[in-house]
Amino acid sequence: MIQLKNKSEIEELRKSALLVSETLSEIARNIRPGITTLALDEIAETFIRDNGAKPAFKGYNGFPSSLCISINEVVVHGIPSKKELRQGDIISVDCGVELNGWIGDSAYSFALEGINDESVSLLKTTKESLYKGIEKCIIGNRIGDLSHAIQSYCESRSYGVVRDLCGHGLGRKMHESPEVPNFGKPGSGIKFKEGMVIAIEPMITQGKKEVIFESDGWTCRTLDRSMTAHFEHDIAITKEGPDILSNFLPIEKAINENINLLNI
C-alpha cells in the first residue's frame, strides 16, 4: 500500500534527504587514491551521528556498514573493507540516514582521475537518465513512463539497464511501495498521485544488463564484469511537478575542490 505524505511530512523527508547529500559531500572531500572504503564508511557514520541522525543502512537486514561503496564492476551493495581506492576507479556511494523517524536515501558515482573516456560517458549517461526519469514524475503519469524514459535513454546509447534491482517508495521505512524499475512500458504501472515520495536510482552498465550476487549475499556485480554507474534522488510528487528532495549541488562543489576527482 502506498503511503501518501502531506506537506509537513515531505519537509521532514527533505531534511533527511539533504543530510544524505551533505554526507556524500563529506565523502567527496575525502576520496583519494590509497584511502580504504572502510575509512570512508567511518567518516560517514561519524558525520551522520554528529548531525543527530542514524545510519539507515547499518543493521538493515543484517547489512554491516553505514554506506554501500561499489567500485567499478560492482553495481550496488558493496561492503566497505580495507580495499584501497585506485586512480581510475568509479566509486558509487549509496547512503541512507534516519532523522526524526524519516529516511533519506541517495547515491552518487564518483570518478577518480585517470578514468577513460568510455567510463566518463557511462557516468554522464547514467546521471542524465536520472533526470529524464524525474521529468516524468507528474500527477497522472505512470511509473512505466518514468521507467521507459530511463531505459530508452540508456539503451539508445548501447548501455545495459539492470533488471534485478530497482528504486522504491520512501518514508518512515527504507523501502515502501511502489517499486520503481528502470525499465518498462509507457502508460503502465501505478499512477502518480500528489504526496507520493519515491527514490529513483538508475543502475546502468557499460556492457550487458545481467548481474550476479557474490557469496556475501550483498555485493552485486555485472556478470560480464563491465563498469557500472549508479545515481539516486528522492522525489516528491506535487501539483507543481516533481520536487527533488536530495541535492547534488553540495556534492559537486566538494568534487570541484578535490584535485583527485573529476566532475562529470
Side-chain angles (χ1 to χ4, degrees):
M1 182 177 177
I2 296 173
Q3 302 290 328
L4 300 180
K5 280 77 178 179
N6 60 36
K7 289 183 178 180
S8 64
E9 290 171 330
I10 288 172
E11 290 310 308
E12 291 300 314
L13 281 163
R14 191 189 309 279
K15 292 175 187 176
S16 299
L18 291 177
L19 180 54
V20 173
S21 300
E22 292 298 333
T23 305
L24 291 172
S25 303
E26 188 69 10
I27 295 303
R29 284 186 277 272
N30 285 278
I31 290 179
R32 64 183 185 276
I35 194 169
T36 67
T37 55
L38 186 60
L40 292 176
D41 188 69
E42 291 168 352
I43 288 168
E45 180 167 355
T46 298
F47 186 84
I48 291 166
R49 294 192 187 279
D50 285 350
N51 281 274
K54 297 188 297 185
F57 292 176
K58 193 165 189 176
Y60 183 79
N61 291 336
F63 190 75
S65 306
S66 297
L67 298 177
C68 297
I69 305 181
S70 306
I71 302 171
N72 297 332
E73 75 274 9
V74 177
V75 184
V76 287
H77 302 162
I79 299 173
S81 68
K82 293 183 179 179
K83 180 181 177 64
E84 294 182 356
L85 299 181
R86 298 181 300 176
Q87 190 173 12
D89 280 342
I90 293 175
I91 308 103
S92 297
V93 183
D94 195 353
C95 177
V97 307
E98 181 183 342
L99 179 65
N100 300 325
W102 296 95
I103 304 294
D105 181 13
S106 184
Y108 199 96
S109 289
F110 299 95
L112 272 172
E113 283 281 1
I115 67 168
N116 58 33
D117 291 343
E118 290 79 9
S119 293
V120 170
S121 179
L122 170 67
L123 287 162
K124 285 183 175 179
T125 297
T126 305
K127 190 176 182 182
E128 289 164 358
S129 76
L130 172 59
Y131 291 97
K132 295 292 182 183
I134 291 170
E135 288 174 2
K136 300 297 182 180
C137 294
I138 298 169
I139 293 171
N141 277 359
R142 294 180 179 271
I143 291 285
D145 299 317
L146 176 167
S147 304
H148 179 74
I150 292 172
Q151 178 186 7
S152 60
Y153 190 75
C154 294
E155 290 185 345
S156 71
R157 288 156 176 77
S158 300
Y159 293 118
V161 179
V162 173
R163 266 53 168 184
D164 297 66
L165 302 144
C166 64
H168 49 89
L170 194 66
R172 290 191 176 276
K173 295 180 180 179
M174 176 72 67
H175 295 109
E176 296 186 353
S177 294
E179 290 190 345
V180 184
N182 296 307
F183 66 99
K185 296 180 180 179
S188 65
I190 293 168
K191 266 189 181 181
F192 288 121
K193 295 181 180 179
E194 183 180 9
M196 288 176 63
V197 177
I198 58 175
I200 305 172
E201 47 180 324
M203 292 158 271
I204 308 303
T205 77
Q206 209 167 48
K208 296 181 179 180
K209 62 181 181 292
E210 288 79 17
V211 299
I212 64 169
F213 288 85
E214 302 286 11
S215 59
D216 60 26
W218 287 103
T219 306
C220 174
R221 69 164 174 83
T222 51
L223 182 62
D224 61 6
R225 294 193 177 273
S226 61
M227 300 288 269
T228 70
H230 176 209
F231 291 88
E232 179 180 14
H233 264 318
D234 299 338
I235 310 295
I237 311 300
T238 75
K239 289 180 180 177
E240 292 75 28
D243 182 1
I244 304 176
L245 306 181
S246 39
N247 187 0
F248 285 169
L249 291 179
I251 302 170
E252 290 160 355
K253 181 176 184 294
I255 290 171
N256 286 332
E257 294 169 353
N258 185 338
I259 61 172
N260 299 293
L261 292 176
L262 290 178
N263 197 351
I264 303 301

